[in-house]
Amino acid sequence: MLRLITDFDGPIMDVSDRYYRVYLHCLAETQREDRPVRELALAEFWDMKRARVPETEIGILSGLDEAQALEFAQKRRQIVHTLPYLIYDRPAKGAVETLEKVQRAGVDLTVMTMRRVRELDEAFTRCNLGQFFPENRRYCLPNDYVKTGDVKDKPLLMARALAELPPASEVWMVGDTEADMIAAKTHGVKVIGVLCGIRDRTRLEMHQPDLIANNLSEAVEMILGSH
């Protein structure tokens, strides 16, 4: 049996609009009347996010002083993953069709995400994505989980999944961040980094995925082709 373990945000969900709306909100909340700010365009902002430019630097490039930039970064951390903004996430182009293709091919499909249960359920319900992932193929964080950091928490999720899921002859991971690469490599799972999420090629290559694809569709083509 061939198994695909996929991250949610990035490969399946386009989160760029959410991140950008949070950026605009926090910039407006932090700016002062005596200090004008410059709103970055979505493309410019998203390129910075994918290159892991620090939040404080994004604030300064938008016209904030250092103290304001720290406040801006704190506000952003507090709200970026909250339900009022998660509603702006949308399925990435071609993602639903790719999930349908994976199902038709008989691949065992599992989702693994740093979202909490309520956050994953919201997207599953709103975007009708729960149909692709039975309850026993959903690996996410409990609602009361205290995060220690994605690169620490995601390998723990991977360990649990590999212990609980039935045996598979071949397992692949698809993800868009260093946490996905580290989780897979820690447990000997082959991994494809995708460029449709929140990391650019330079950042992904630093963590040496087995392959890099533009999106989930390309990643699935690679997996099915190798299998």
Side-chain angles (χ1 to χ4, degrees), residues 160-220:
R160 183 161 72 86
L162 294 176
E164 293 177 356
L165 292 171
S169 58
E170 190 175 354
V171 181
W172 284 86
M173 173 79 185
V174 172
D176 68 321
T177 70
E178 57 280 353
D180 299 309
M181 310 300 120
I182 291 169
K185 286 183 167 291
T186 298
H187 297 285
V189 173
K190 289 177 287 188
V191 60
I192 299 178
V194 289
L195 297 171
C196 56
I198 201 166
R199 296 290 181 266
D200 59 20
R201 181 178 290 273
T202 299
R203 289 290 164 177
L204 288 180
E205 286 178 342
M206 289 170 60
H207 297 277
Q208 301 178 320
D210 295 280
L211 297 164
I212 293 180
N214 284 314
N215 49 43
L216 181 62
S217 177
E218 278 192 16
V220 166

Side-chain angles (χ1 to χ4, degrees), residues 30-130:
T30 311
Q31 74 175 106
R32 296 194 305 260
E33 289 185 7
D34 64 337
R35 190 180 181 97
V37 295
R38 177 179 77 91
E39 293 181 354
L40 302 174
L42 172 58
E44 185 181 8
F45 166 79
W46 194 237
D47 282 347
M48 290 184 187
K49 288 299 301 177
R50 297 181 71 242
R52 294 204 75 186
V53 175
E55 295 296 333
T56 51
E57 188 174 337
I58 291 175
I60 289 170
L61 289 169
S62 302
L64 303 177
D65 62 27
E66 289 189 11
Q68 287 175 299
L70 284 172
E71 181 185 350
F72 163 83
Q74 289 174 339
K75 288 179 182 294
R76 182 261 174 198
R77 278 194 298 271
Q78 289 168 357
I79 68 172
V80 69
H81 299 301
T82 59
L83 289 173
Y85 284 95
L86 287 168
I87 63 170
Y88 295 110
D89 292 346
R90 293 290 181 270
K93 184 178 180 181
V96 172
E97 293 82 357
T98 301
L99 293 174
E100 291 171 344
K101 178 179 181 178
V102 170
Q103 277 192 334
R104 288 195 301 270
V107 176
D108 189 67
L109 187 57
T110 296
V111 66
M112 183 174 295
T113 174
M114 290 291 94
R115 287 189 183 223
R116 293 181 172 86
V117 172
R118 62 175 176 267
E119 297 158 356
L120 185 60
D121 285 349
E122 186 279 329
F124 274 180
T125 301
R126 178 169 52 84
C127 302
N128 194 29
L129 294 169

